[in-house]
Amino acid sequence: MKFKMKKFKIKNKSNIIAKVVSVIVAIFLWYYVMGLVNPEETRTYRNINVAFKNIEYLNNTKLVNLGPNEAKVSVQVKGKKSELDNINENNIKAAIDFRGYDSGQVRIPVKAEIIGQYNTLQVTSVGPSEVIFNLDSVESYKKPIEVRQKGEVKENCALSDISMDVENVKLTGPESYLAKVDKVIAEIDLTNKDKPFTISSKLYAVDIKDNQIDQVSLYPQVVNINVQIDKTKSVPIETDFVSHLPSNYKIVNIKTNPQKLVIKGQDDIDSVNSIKTEKIEVSDAVEPKDGELVVKPILPQGVSLLDDSVKITVTYEVEEEAEKEIKVPIENFELVNLKDDMELRDTNEKFITIKLKGYKSVLDKIDEETFKLRADASNVTIEGKQQLRLELVTDKEYLDLINDTISLDFAMKNN
């Protein structure tokens, strides 16, 4: 069976061409109009916060950022006006990445991008394009704690001892700041304190100029301090001599330096009125002792010296005892307190003979012409001979009268 193809004839051919041309013109006009109404522009967005990425990388590699701790940039964006009109600073994300950097001053580029579905928008520039950071190594070491005192304890009290529950503190921080640490300080206030106490003190680090360094961390941050406050008292020193000398020799001119000691303690010191030295043995040497001895104090239980470094020295001399008879001129004799109605009868005696006992060195220096005596006549009320007690009027030490009385004859005055 055969089909016959029919021939179709295009009618009005010029009408179709006109329609095609119209479509092309319409498209061209649409693009032309859109180019005028929605042109391509470039805009700058300022003060965009820069995010810091991979901070954990610094922690894992024992690095720390010393600054800056924040950054802002300006971002230039290019695109169609219609899309630019739909964004603001919140649609722009800027960031730097710490990964891969080492300690020192480093320059890290800033990368920016547009957040959202925008076909024509693109970042054309970032200013500044990079941020300079100071990265430092994180180190740790231990340092002893120094206690700093404020104020003064009460009068007749003293700070005796300070102890802490830890002696050293661990410092952790940037190496450059750790190198500046001169001391780690704990403070105590002693104002008007008179008894032992315990205090918790916060620790802080300072440099050589006493400026506080906050960039390092301390462990522990607080230390417990036990403060011992004692009473103080000044007491004389008593020497404890043990003599092996002959009976006619004595230890004289004993001097200690210092003459008193300052002791400390609690209530035990209230009953302590002097401190004895250790025993000082003196043999049969009879020559005066030259130089000085260093001796130790014997301290009662619960009592100690305020200054442990004090040195107690003792000097002394060994003297021989002797007797000597001297004649004192009668004009060097003074009678005192004689009543007005009594008088001393004349005597032909030109001297008063006395016998003295004392150290030989002193007796040998006596000048009989200047030696003076005295007697008190306040009890003489009747005539006749009376026994009066003689007294030495002299600046000579270590002298005693063996015959210390004198017989004098008294009479009533004639009216």
Side-chain angles (χ1 to χ4, degrees):
M1 186 173 179
K2 293 182 180 179
F3 294 93
K4 291 183 180 180
M5 299 293 295
K6 290 183 179 181
K7 295 182 180 178
F8 293 92
K9 292 183 179 180
I10 300 176
K11 295 181 179 181
N12 200 2
K13 197 173 187 179
S14 61
N15 191 33
I16 295 174
I17 294 173
K19 290 181 179 180
V20 171
V21 171
S22 296
V23 171
I24 293 172
V25 171
I27 293 172
F28 174 78
L29 290 174
W30 183 84
Y31 274 105
Y32 176 75
V33 172
M34 289 303 295
L36 293 176
V37 177
N38 187 27
E40 189 175 72
E41 294 182 1
T42 298
R43 295 182 187 177
T44 300
Y45 298 86
R46 306 182 187 281
N47 294 320
I48 304 299
N49 289 319
V50 178
F52 292 178
K53 297 172 63 177
N54 283 318
I55 295 293
E56 66 276 6
Y57 169 80
L58 298 180
N59 298 331
N60 294 337
T61 54
K62 293 187 176 180
L63 291 174
V64 64
N65 173 31
L66 300 183
N69 294 318
E70 64 176 23
K72 293 180 182 293
V73 293
S74 296
V75 178
Q76 193 175 76
V77 180
K78 182 180 180 181
K80 291 298 183 178
K81 179 178 182 301
S82 60
E83 291 191 335
L84 288 173
D85 288 341
N86 290 328
I87 69 170
N88 55 35
E89 288 80 1
N90 296 325
N91 295 100
I92 302 173
K93 180 180 179 182
I96 58 98
D97 191 340
F98 283 109
R99 182 178 297 277
Y101 291 93
D102 204 348
S103 63
Q105 190 177 79
V106 297
R107 295 175 177 268
I108 303 179
V110 181
K111 295 182 179 180
E113 60 181 348
I114 308 299
I115 302 174
Q117 297 296 323
Y118 300 98
N119 298 322
T120 68
L121 299 184
Q122 60 178 337
V123 174
T124 57
S125 68
V126 178
S129 61
E130 58 185 13
V131 181
I132 300 175
F133 291 92
N134 291 308
L135 303 183
D136 201 355
S137 298
V138 177
E139 303 291 343
S140 295
Y141 72 91
K142 289 187 176 181
K143 196 171 185 68
I145 300 169
E146 181 175 309
V147 177
R148 180 169 291 176
Q149 303 167 20
K150 295 166 55 179
E152 298 291 337
V153 298
K154 278 189 177 180
E155 188 177 1
N156 297 324
C157 292
L159 172 63
S160 294
D161 186 50
I162 294 175
S163 62
M164 296 175 283
D165 55 356
V166 293
E167 297 294 332
N168 297 291
V169 61
K170 182 180 179 182
L171 293 87
T172 302
E175 188 176 13
S176 57
Y177 284 102
L178 287 176
K180 296 179 182 180
V181 176
D182 181 54
K183 298 173 183 175
V184 175
I185 304 296
E187 290 186 348
I188 57 173
D189 189 352
L190 300 176
T191 304
N192 290 327
K193 294 291 191 299
D194 59 356
K195 294 180 181 179
F197 66 94
T198 299
I199 187 173
S200 294
S201 178
K202 187 175 181 180
L203 300 173
Y204 62 93
V206 296
D207 62 17
I208 197 169
K209 294 182 179 180
D210 213 36
N211 298 312
Q212 189 164 332
I213 301 174
D214 297 324
Q215 291 83 358
V216 298
S217 61
L218 306 176
Y219 182 81
Q221 295 180 331
V222 175
V223 63
N224 294 317
I225 306 175
N226 300 311
V227 184
Q228 180 67 30
I229 304 292
D230 283 330
K231 296 180 180 179
T232 62
K233 188 177 184 180
S234 179
V235 294
I237 300 172
E238 289 186 14
T239 53
D240 189 4
F241 278 90
V242 179
S243 175
H244 302 288
L245 298 170
S247 59
N248 60 327
Y249 284 87
K250 301 296 180 184
I251 301 170
V252 296
N253 292 331
I254 301 171
K255 296 178 181 178
T256 63
N257 184 30
Q259 296 180 343
K260 291 186 176 183
L261 290 175
V262 180
I263 58 174
K264 64 181 181 179
Q266 294 300 306
D267 295 335
D268 297 320
I269 72 170
D270 294 340
S271 59
V272 179
N273 296 314
S274 63
I275 294 294
K276 282 189 174 183
T277 67
E278 61 184 350
K279 292 185 183 300
I280 304 171
E281 302 277 346
V282 181
S283 64
D284 56 356
V286 294
E287 293 299 324
K289 180 74 177 178
D290 294 328
E292 60 185 19
L293 296 175
V294 178
V295 296
K296 295 179 180 179
I298 305 300
L299 300 172
Q301 184 73 25
V303 174
S304 58
L305 295 178
L306 180 62
D307 182 4
D308 290 331
S309 65
V310 67
K311 182 175 75 171
I312 304 171
T313 60
V314 177
T315 60
Y316 65 92
E317 294 178 359
V318 174
E319 286 279 5
E320 179 185 3
E321 285 189 322
E323 295 180 0
K324 184 176 182 179
E325 187 176 270
I326 66 171
K327 291 184 177 181
V328 180
I330 194 68
E331 60 266 22
N332 288 350
F333 172 72
E334 181 185 10
L335 189 64
V336 297
N337 298 323
L338 183 63
K339 291 181 172 54
D340 293 339
D341 59 348
M342 301 296 296
E343 63 181 0
L344 182 63
R345 287 195 174 103
D346 293 335
T347 177
N348 295 324
E349 299 291 336
K350 294 183 179 181
F351 299 95
I352 299 174
T353 302
I354 60 172
K355 185 177 285 189
L356 296 171
K357 181 180 180 181
Y359 298 120
K360 189 174 183 300
S361 62
V362 178
L363 292 173
D364 290 343
K365 296 176 183 178
I366 288 177
D367 181 1
E368 297 182 5
E369 295 298 321
T370 60
F371 204 87
K372 293 183 179 181
L373 296 171
R374 180 172 56 200
D376 187 351
S378 58
N379 292 327
V380 176
T381 57
I382 60 175
E383 293 183 323
K385 289 189 176 184
Q386 304 286 332
Q387 294 287 327
L388 300 183
R389 190 176 189 84
L390 281 174
E391 298 176 15
L392 299 179
V393 182
T394 176
D395 59 356
K396 302 295 183 183
E397 296 181 358
Y398 311 114
L399 288 177
D400 290 313
L401 273 169
I402 296 177
N403 53 335
D404 61 351
T405 60
I406 186 172
S407 179
L408 298 174
D409 193 9
F410 295 94
M412 301 289 292
K413 288 182 179 180
N414 294 323
N415 293 329

